[in-house]
Amino acid sequence: IQRFTKPDIDWDDLEASLIAGDLGPKLALQIVSDLQAQQRKLHGADIVQVARDHVRKILPESVPHLTPFADGRPKVLLIVGVNGVGKTTSTAKLAHLLQHAGHKVVLAAADTFRAAAVEQLQVWSQRLDAPLVKGPPNSDPAAVCFEGYEMAVKTGASFLLCDTAGRLHTKHNLMEEMKKIHRVLGRKDPTSPHEIILVVDATTGSNALQQAREFHKAIPLTGLIVTKLDGSGKGGVLVPIQQELKVPTRFIGLGEKVEDFQAFDSKRFVDELL
Amino acid sequence: MFSLLQEKLEDAFRKLRGTAKISESNIADAMKDIRMALLEADVDFTVTKDLIKAVTETAQGEDVLRTVNPGQMIVKIFHDELVKLLGGGATELDLSPPQRILMVGLNGAGKTTTSAKLASWLKKQGKRPLLIALDLYRPAAITQLQVLGQQLGVPVCVPPAGETDPVKATRAALKWLDEQGGGVAIFDTAGRQEVDDELLTQLKQVRDLVQPSETLLVADAATGQQAVAVASKFNETVTLSGLVMTKLDGDARGGALLSMRQVTGCPVKFIGVGEKVEQLEVFHPDRMAQRILGM
Ligand SMILES: Nc1nc2c(ncn2[C@@H]2O[C@H](COP(=O)(O)OP(=O)(O)OP(=O)(O)O)[C@@H](O)[C@H]2O)c(=O)[nH]1
Ligand SMILES: Nc1nc2c(ncn2[C@@H]2O[C@H](COP(=O)(O)OP(=O)(O)OP(=O)(O)O)[C@@H](O)[C@H]2O)c(=O)[nH]1
Ligand SMILES: [K+]
Ligand SMILES: [Mg+2]
Ligand SMILES: [Mg+2]
């Protein structure tokens, strides 16, 4: 009798909020039914907190930091993703972050395809005062990364950041091109690239999971950067990506400036999701 | 291309087709599957709800349960409802004076690329397109438009050196236009988030100066639940006249288009189907509905 006096839980409203955050309808429904199973123990007033805890449990408590190699080898980061998500901007942001921590960085402009993609990264390299390696229009992006590695060794840089062209995960030839970049970098150092970061736009809905699946299948991802979290898109899709592929979100983008960049904090993320 | 949404709907309807006699609860079950499929296709939560409600009502009104093939009947009702939602209104580009097209949208949606695509399309129509660079913020955004203009042989208006104010750049561009002696002007603006009031106010000032005949919202096919907020905020700020959905060459199901169409009432004028300038297509509501339904 006691339990009927408890405030009602608006399950539809909870489901709607989860879906509105782009968590995906499957995961949203799963969470709702998990919580419904323990309904007797729940109050309407704490349902949001309980749902938050439930989502947070899916995410890792902490994610690895970017540290340079002790033996002086350059650590290679390959930045990949579909068109327009924020790869070039995030490459600049990462460079800024690493420089701020006292590390030397070399940039490789491996998008040799899109109009003024090289010029875009070049502007950032000038602003950040980080050396840039580039190739002629439509040249082999793998060669640019290879040269980038040599430049990093020559200048004693601890990090090489390779910005690649946007490619839809459905385009076979472009995915093969990316695999080639991966292979060619391995010739200099068999463990390179050491980080393969998929950039995901928080504006994206369920397709981001499909993007992550296909990129991860082609080359093993080590993390995500979720961009444009300054907009109203909540980026909830990073949760099913973590759940299914175990690829953690490492950084988030919060604007167009290099400073608008932070290490991922799952507590803050979940608080803003719901 | 066979999308997951199509598969899902096919599944739902196949289940219906398989049943000799269909009950109200069969329909309710199918609607649950369809709801899931629409949400997975990134159709907005509320838009999905309304759509399901409308289709259920029509299905009941037409007494679907008594028809020989209820599954097909529901497919047809769904298809017609989607076409109605996606279509309606003129889809031709409005090229009446002053022949000015303003491109707006979120960061990275495809505005600059679509500006070049439109220029190429207009050129093929025998028109004289002109490109105007108003993105003074993104590094090398002006160069990007210049490169594309050069490839197409289309004049590009670039802002005065060192100009950082898009409103002043717009004034300069309008002067430049006067000297061009006619043509269809395409204004490429900087990307911005719909929650950024400062940048939206700036866009409104640009719009008020340009007085465009077309204001096109460019949106990525993979847009999620943010779609309604984006479309309504941009519409409120600059009064949209049309939508362009880009990157439909991928496997994103593009459900956001339904939501944006619904919330703005604006027709979809073009779709982008690749990175190259010629990869722009005229929008066909019927094809899109069929693509969604897998027919
Ligand atoms: N608001 C906001 N804008 C961002 C963020 N990250 C990137 N952008 C913007 O998104 C747009 C696209 O960014 P880019 O870095 O060029 O994206 P990209 O993935 O390199 O694009 P392609 O190389 O063409 O595939 C630009 O307008 C950026 O300024 C972010 O965190 N917030
Ligand atoms: N596959 C594909 N890529 C597209 C399409 N339209 C644009 N792109 C790509 O999407 C990315 C972003 O395009 P832009 O035209 O720079 O986008 P934008 O809206 O001008 O970006 P900002 O000015 O930074 O806000 C580029 O890599 C384009 O090549 C399309 O229809 N299909
Ligand atoms: K956001
Ligand atoms: Mg780029
Ligand atoms: Mg642009």
Side-chain angles (χ1 to χ4, degrees):
Chain A
I1 293 173
Q2 189 72 32
R3 67 172 183 264
F4 293 117
T5 63
K6 284 177 184 170
D8 282 345
I9 296 170
D10 189 339
W11 296 107
D12 283 347
D13 191 36
L14 179 64
E15 192 200 3
S17 320
L18 290 165
I19 289 173
D22 284 314
L23 206 71
K26 270 210 193 91
L27 185 55
L29 263 155
Q30 189 200 313
I31 290 170
V32 168
S33 65
D34 283 358
L35 298 186
Q36 273 173 336
Q38 38 169 310
Q39 184 167 12
R40 281 191 199 176
K41 290 180 270 165
L42 300 178
H43 287 263
D46 355 291
I47 193 65
V48 170
Q49 201 48 50
V50 174
R52 281 179 182 161
D53 290 343
H54 202 88
V55 175
R56 200 172 301 132
K57 261 188 263 155
I58 300 172
L59 303 170
E61 267 171 37
S62 65
V63 286
H65 287 285
L66 284 177
T67 47
F69 287 124
D71 61 8
R73 270 180 306 148
K75 185 172 264 188
V76 181
L77 277 69
L78 188 61
I79 313 299
V80 299
V82 299
N83 305 87
V85 286
K87 294 174 294 299
T88 306
T89 312
S90 298
T91 302
K93 288 173 172 179
L94 269 175
H96 175 72
L97 185 95
L98 291 167
Q99 284 179 327
H100 208 72
H103 307 305
K104 253 177 110 173
V105 175
V106 168
L107 302 173
D111 180 354
T112 58
F113 176 75
R114 211 210 63 217
V118 172
E119 287 83 348
Q120 186 185 358
L121 194 63
Q122 198 159 25
V123 170
W124 285 118
S125 96
Q126 280 155 4
R127 286 186 194 169
L128 297 168
D129 194 20
L132 176 93
V133 176
K134 59 177 184 176
N138 297 313
S139 64
D140 181 6
V144 177
C145 294
F146 192 81
E147 265 178 59
Y149 192 92
E150 287 177 340
M151 166 78 103
V153 171
K154 204 170 74 195
T155 59
S158 337
F159 288 93
L160 168 66
L161 307 188
C162 305
D163 175 33
T164 63
R167 69 197 77 234
L168 291 179
H169 51 288
T170 50
K171 308 239 158 133
H172 179 73
N173 59 335
L174 296 182
M175 295 305 271
E176 288 301 314
E177 178 195 85
M178 181 178 71
K179 286 192 205 164
K180 184 181 169 194
I181 297 175
H182 186 259
R183 269 197 315 274
V184 168
L185 275 168
R187 278 189 213 147
K188 281 287 182 186
D189 170 355
T191 61
S192 157
H194 307 94
E195 297 274 3
I196 303 169
I197 309 274
L198 179 73
V199 181
V200 169
D201 184 334
T203 307
T204 313
S206 60
N207 195 246
L209 178 57
Q210 195 55 25
Q211 293 166 16
R213 279 185 190 130
E214 295 301 324
F215 275 91
H216 197 44
K217 213 188 282 169
I219 52 174
L221 302 175
T222 60
L224 302 183
I225 292 176
V226 178
T227 60
K228 309 182 196 175
L229 273 165
D230 49 316
S232 73
K234 298 275 204 290
V237 68
L238 72 84
V239 182
I241 291 176
Q242 171 71 52
Q243 196 180 36
E244 183 182 316
L245 304 170
K246 313 279 177 263
V247 175
T249 301
R250 307 278 289 273
F251 298 96
I252 58 168
L254 292 160
E256 300 188 67
K257 297 194 287 291
V258 277
E259 309 86 64
D260 302 329
F261 196 62
Q262 285 171 13
F264 179 65
D265 174 344
S266 66
K267 183 174 175 343
R268 270 190 62 186
F269 169 77
V270 176
D271 285 351
E272 290 189 9
L273 181 73
L274 274 177
Chain B
M1 190 196 353
F2 208 71
S3 75
L4 201 61
L5 174 58
Q6 290 170 12
E7 267 170 54
K8 273 256 167 187
L9 290 177
E10 288 274 290
D11 256 9
F13 294 131
R14 208 173 294 126
K15 263 189 241 162
L16 278 185
R17 281 196 193 106
T19 2
K21 262 187 94 186
I22 293 196
S23 67
E24 297 266 348
S25 80
N26 286 142
I27 292 188
D29 279 351
M31 291 303 176
K32 250 184 225 157
D33 285 341
I34 292 163
R35 174 179 180 272
M36 193 58 152
L38 289 171
L39 289 172
E40 274 176 353
D42 297 318
V43 178
D44 176 74
F45 188 81
T46 315
V47 173
T48 300
K49 213 170 175 174
D50 295 346
L51 188 60
I52 298 284
K53 198 165 157 251
V55 171
T56 308
E57 271 165 20
T58 315
Q60 276 158 1
E62 297 195 5
D63 217 354
V64 163
L65 297 185
R66 281 166 191 273
T67 59
V68 188
N69 203 331
Q72 265 176 23
M73 188 76 179
I74 292 186
V75 176
K76 191 182 173 309
I77 297 169
F78 235 99
H79 172 263
D80 293 352
E81 188 65 27
L82 284 181
V83 172
K84 205 169 82 191
L85 264 179
L86 289 165
T91 54
E92 294 249 310
L93 208 52
D94 180 0
L95 294 178
S96 60
Q99 300 201 311
R100 291 178 192 158
I101 305 172
L102 185 67
M103 310 295 283
V104 304
L106 296 179
N107 305 86
K111 295 171 294 300
T112 307
T113 308
T114 308
S115 298
K117 286 178 174 181
L118 274 178
S120 163
W121 186 83
L122 287 165
K123 231 183 135 178
K124 279 188 199 129
Q125 309 275 306
K127 305 275 192 297
R128 178 164 185 263
L130 302 160
L131 286 163
I132 293 162
L134 289 183
D135 182 354
L136 312 180
Y137 194 75
R138 167 173 164 174
I142 298 166
T143 317
Q144 186 185 359
L145 197 66
Q146 275 180 307
V147 170
L148 293 167
Q150 211 157 41
Q151 282 169 10
L152 294 166
V154 168
V156 179
C157 172
V158 301
E163 183 58 77
T164 54
D165 180 359
V167 178
K168 285 188 192 148
T170 305
R171 285 206 191 91
L174 292 173
K175 234 177 246 147
W176 178 86
L177 261 185
D178 279 344
E179 293 154 14
Q180 290 298 310
V184 186
I186 304 162
F187 296 76
D188 177 34
T189 64
R192 64 202 79 222
Q193 294 295 314
E194 90 288 1
V195 292
D196 193 327
D197 288 330
E198 197 184 320
L199 289 186
L200 286 181
T201 304
Q202 188 190 69
L203 187 63
K204 188 174 160 38
Q205 290 170 335
V206 167
R207 191 223 105 94
D208 290 347
L209 277 175
V210 173
Q211 293 290 320
S213 27
E214 283 276 11
T215 303
L216 303 180
L217 176 68
V218 180
D220 190 315
T223 309
Q225 297 286 321
Q226 194 179 352
V228 163
V230 172
S232 48
K233 194 69 199 223
F234 274 95
N235 196 27
E236 234 169 69
T237 311
V238 292
T239 319
L240 302 172
S241 63
L243 309 171
V244 179
M245 179 156 265
T246 61
K247 310 179 200 176
L248 272 166
D249 46 321
D251 62 357
R253 282 159 266 159
L257 194 61
L258 265 182
S259 324
M260 293 183 149
R261 179 72 185 79
Q262 181 79 335
V263 76
T264 61
C266 287
V268 186
K269 303 242 164 164
F270 291 97
I271 58 169
V273 291
E275 294 184 69
K276 303 206 183 79
V277 284
E278 64 276 12
Q279 289 171 318
L280 184 76
E281 291 178 3
V282 175
F283 178 69
H284 296 282
D286 194 50
R287 273 187 220 163
M288 188 76 183
Q290 286 186 13
R291 173 182 161 138
I292 290 170
L293 286 166
M295 291 163 67

